[in-house]
């Protein structure tokens, strides 16, 4: 974790997962984005359990996790409708 990360209150480990997830979402890689969401959730839970996140970080990343879960609820290939059925 660099000095900037400490000053800004960011967790480099979680920020890396978010960066990859955003990339996969923007490229419409639905399965990879869902895998990143699962990884983000697991890492967040582990870091909270180990006491490595401050209360401010817990609130920030917990809120982000819930936002991503809501945003990606229907973000799967199985829910995709074929263009010819519209």
């Amino acid at each position: 974790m660099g000095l900037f990360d400490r000053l800004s209150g960011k967790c480099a480990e979680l920020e890396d997962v978010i960066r990859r997830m955003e990339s996969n979402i923007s490229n419409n890689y639905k399965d990879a984005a869902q895998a990143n969401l699962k990884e983000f959730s697991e890492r967040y839970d582990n870091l909270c359990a180990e006491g490595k996140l401050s209360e401010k970080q817990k609130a920030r990343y917990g809120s982000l996790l819930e936002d991503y879960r809501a945003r990606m609820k229907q973000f799967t290939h199985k829910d995709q409708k074929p263009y010819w059925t519209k």
Side-chain angles (χ1 to χ4, degrees):
M1 182 186 283
L3 178 61
F4 180 74
D5 291 334
R6 287 186 192 157
L7 294 175
S8 66
K10 293 183 179 180
C11 174
E13 189 175 343
L14 293 176
E15 289 295 325
D16 178 55
V17 177
I18 291 169
R19 191 172 24 260
R20 287 186 282 126
M21 183 170 35
E22 280 295 332
S23 176
N24 287 326
I25 290 170
S26 68
N27 288 312
N28 206 27
Y29 298 148
K30 296 178 180 183
D31 294 336
Q34 289 290 346
N36 292 139
L37 178 62
K38 182 178 179 183
E39 179 184 3
F40 178 56
S41 177
E42 290 171 354
R43 285 192 181 184
Y44 172 75
D45 291 341
N46 288 341
L47 289 170
C48 285
E50 294 170 3
K52 292 186 177 180
L53 296 178
S54 68
E55 291 302 316
K56 186 177 178 181
Q57 288 173 321
K58 286 180 187 178
R60 178 178 187 269
Y61 290 113
S63 175
L64 280 174
L65 180 58
E66 292 307 313
D67 291 345
Y68 278 115
R69 282 181 177 153
R71 178 177 171 191
M72 294 174 54
K73 192 170 187 138
Q74 299 293 321
F75 196 68
T76 62
H77 288 293
K78 69 178 184 148
D79 295 326
Q80 189 173 349
K81 303 286 186 229
Y83 68 90
W84 59 84
T85 62
K86 291 182 180 179

